[in-house]
């Protein structure tokens, strides 16, 4: 069975976003060496999984991005976890608006024009509507490279609580947020982890890989 890897940026005090969803802090301490570490993880992915909130944010950004991370984010299949789907309601309205805005901005700035295949990978992802644990087990049974989970916060918390995460790849940033959305908020019981590797980057970010002991 292929493994589920949870990749998250996290503050030193355990938050993955500020109290209002702020993410600017993680970009302030980003650097070429830490981004290369992240890119190495993206290259291992056979599927990107995420909650509907992160999907909405990423779908409006990655098709038009020019960074080295864009190709693995765009080319690898996506699985979106949403009980209500992505074709109706507020999320669908938001996606329609953000896609239009991103396309207009890209044309204005002479940026990337995504291919039909790239757009399709974001506008027609696989949607997992069933029980989280069952959907994850089904994905693990499929052949291929690792399943890479991105968040958002509530989705990541649910994955942690499910006990199905095989590996944590955490970019630990040198900041204390004090409050916000914690990653480890509701494990059912204590979980012992084994440190696999730890890499310190130029801005003080630490890339840590843990697996259940």
């Amino acid at each position: 069975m292929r493994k589920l890897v949870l990749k998250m940026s996290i503050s030193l005090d355990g938050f993955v976003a500020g109290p209002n969803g702020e993410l600017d802090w993680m970009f302030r301490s980003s650097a070429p060496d830490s981004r290369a570490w992240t890119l190495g993880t993206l290259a291992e992915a056979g599927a990107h999984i995420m909650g509907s909130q992160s999907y909405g944010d990423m779908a409006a950004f990655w098709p038009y991005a020019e960074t080295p991370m864009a190709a693995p984010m765009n080319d690898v299949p996506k699985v979106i976890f949403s009980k209500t789907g992505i074709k109706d309601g507020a999320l669908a309205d938001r996606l329609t608006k953000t896609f239009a805005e991103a396309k207009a901005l890209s044309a204005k700035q002479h940026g990337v024009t995504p291919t039909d295949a790239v757009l399709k990978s974001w506008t027609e992802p696989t949607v997992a509507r069933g029980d989280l644990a069952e959907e994850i087990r089904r994905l693990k049974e499929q052949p291929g490279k690792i399943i890479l989970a991105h968040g958002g916060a509530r989705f990541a918390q649910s994955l942690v609580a499910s006990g199905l995460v095989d590996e944590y790849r955490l970019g630990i940033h040198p900041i204390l947020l004090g409050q916000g959305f914690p990653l480890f908020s509701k494990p059912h019981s204590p979980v012992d982890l084994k440190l696999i590797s730890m890499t310190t980057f130029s801005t003080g970010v630490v890339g840590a890989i843990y697996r259940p002991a």
Side-chain angles (χ1 to χ4, degrees):
M1 294 178 71
R2 58 180 177 170
K3 66 183 179 181
L4 171 62
V5 175
L6 177 60
K7 179 191 73 65
M8 298 291 287
S9 291
I10 187 169
S11 69
L12 192 59
D13 51 350
F15 297 104
V16 296
N20 297 308
E22 299 93 339
L23 300 175
D24 57 306
W25 52 272
M26 67 178 63
F27 300 111
R28 291 201 301 271
S29 51
S30 176
D33 52 359
S34 62
R35 290 193 293 271
W37 184 78
T38 299
L39 185 59
T41 291
L42 294 179
E44 298 180 44
H48 294 303
I49 68 171
M50 62 196 77
S52 58
Q53 180 67 42
S54 286
Y55 166 64
D57 294 336
M58 292 187 179
F61 176 77
W62 286 114
Y64 305 93
E66 297 183 272
T67 74
M69 296 182 192
M73 289 301 303
N74 287 327
D75 297 343
V76 174
K78 289 86 181 163
V79 181
I80 314 306
F81 283 72
S82 173
K83 296 289 188 182
T84 58
I86 62 172
K87 297 298 184 182
D88 301 302
L91 177 60
D93 293 340
R94 177 187 168 209
L95 287 172
T96 299
K97 180 180 179 181
T98 53
F99 270 120
E101 291 174 346
K103 183 177 181 180
L105 181 61
S106 177
K108 182 178 180 181
Q109 296 178 342
H110 305 289
V112 172
T113 300
T115 65
D116 290 342
V118 165
L119 286 177
K120 185 176 181 179
S121 78
W122 286 104
T123 58
E124 300 181 23
T126 298
V127 179
R129 296 170 178 258
D131 175 76
L132 176 66
E134 290 300 319
E135 295 284 5
I136 292 296
R137 289 190 184 97
R138 192 174 296 116
L139 286 172
K140 286 187 173 187
E141 290 170 354
Q142 297 174 4
K145 299 161 73 175
I146 67 171
I147 305 162
L148 189 61
H150 294 273
R154 292 184 180 88
F155 178 60
Q157 289 170 359
S158 296
L159 289 177
V160 173
S162 75
L164 294 172
V165 177
D166 300 299
E167 186 170 289
Y168 296 89
R169 298 194 187 182
L170 305 177
I172 305 169
H173 290 249
I175 184 172
L176 300 173
L177 292 180
Q179 57 182 327
F181 292 89
L183 175 56
F184 303 108
S185 67
K186 51 179 182 180
H188 293 310
S189 59
V191 179
D192 292 322
L193 300 175
K194 179 181 180 181
L195 178 63
I196 303 302
S197 69
M198 181 172 288
T199 307
T200 303
F201 302 111
S202 57
T203 56
V205 175
V206 174
I209 298 178
Y210 290 93
R211 293 176 188 158

